Amino acid sequence: MDTVRELLTEEECFSAVYKSAKMGAEAIINLLPKVTSDGLRSQMTRQLDGYERYAAAARRELERVGGPVKEENLIVRVTAKMGMAFHTLVDASTGHIAEMLIEGSNMNITDMTRLLNNCVDEEALRLVQEVVSFEGCNVEALKRYL
């Protein structure tokens, strides 16, 4: 049985990209102080640059279409930060941090793929496709640190 797809406006798509990029950047910023591997630190810095680029692009598009730029809920951000702190308190090894980042990237690939299937705006679709590709590259680059 087919399910009814919920088509999303360009504003909703750009907003989702903005929030996910901001959360990705925040995760990197929270984890960087715990990283001892220069290679992993470099990879994370590249990812941070990418997340900041995508957040800025989504923000520009939101402003262009007149949509509000909303930050992620404070409770969601604090919960994510506490979860990362707990997981690195238990194990702050390079492999474990890489695994955490891979899990985050895979979750974002799933979320962005859902957007691809429901977003109707061509410009938003292009940006979402770029994010999916970026996250796929992140996963591949992080595998070497497992």
Side-chain angles (χ1 to χ4, degrees), residues 9-39:
T9 66
E10 62 186 338
E11 180 182 316
E12 291 169 317
C13 292
F14 289 129
S15 183
V17 170
Y18 178 77
K19 284 181 180 180
S20 79
K22 292 293 280 188
M23 288 294 288
E26 198 167 304
I28 298 286
I29 290 166
N30 289 330
L31 289 171
L32 269 172
K34 302 191 184 282
V35 175
T36 58
S37 162
D38 290 338

Side-chain angles (χ1 to χ4, degrees), residues 31 83-85 87-88 91 95-105:
L31 289 171
M84 284 183 278
H87 281 285
T88 55
D91 181 359
H96 184 68
I97 291 173
E99 182 180 352
M100 290 171 60
L101 292 168
I102 288 169
E103 288 173 5
S105 288

Side-chain angles (χ1 to χ4, degrees), residues 92-131:
S93 68
T94 297
H96 184 68
I97 291 173
E99 182 180 352
M100 290 171 60
L101 292 168
I102 288 169
E103 288 173 5
S105 288
N106 280 329
M107 286 188 336
N108 201 32
I109 289 170
T110 300
D111 292 343
M112 293 295 108
T113 301
R114 192 172 294 116
L115 274 183
L116 282 175
N117 292 332
N118 295 297
C119 191
V120 294
D121 179 74
E122 289 297 319
E123 193 62 28
L125 283 170
R126 183 194 57 74
L127 185 60
V128 173
Q129 288 169 333
E130 283 183 32
V131 172

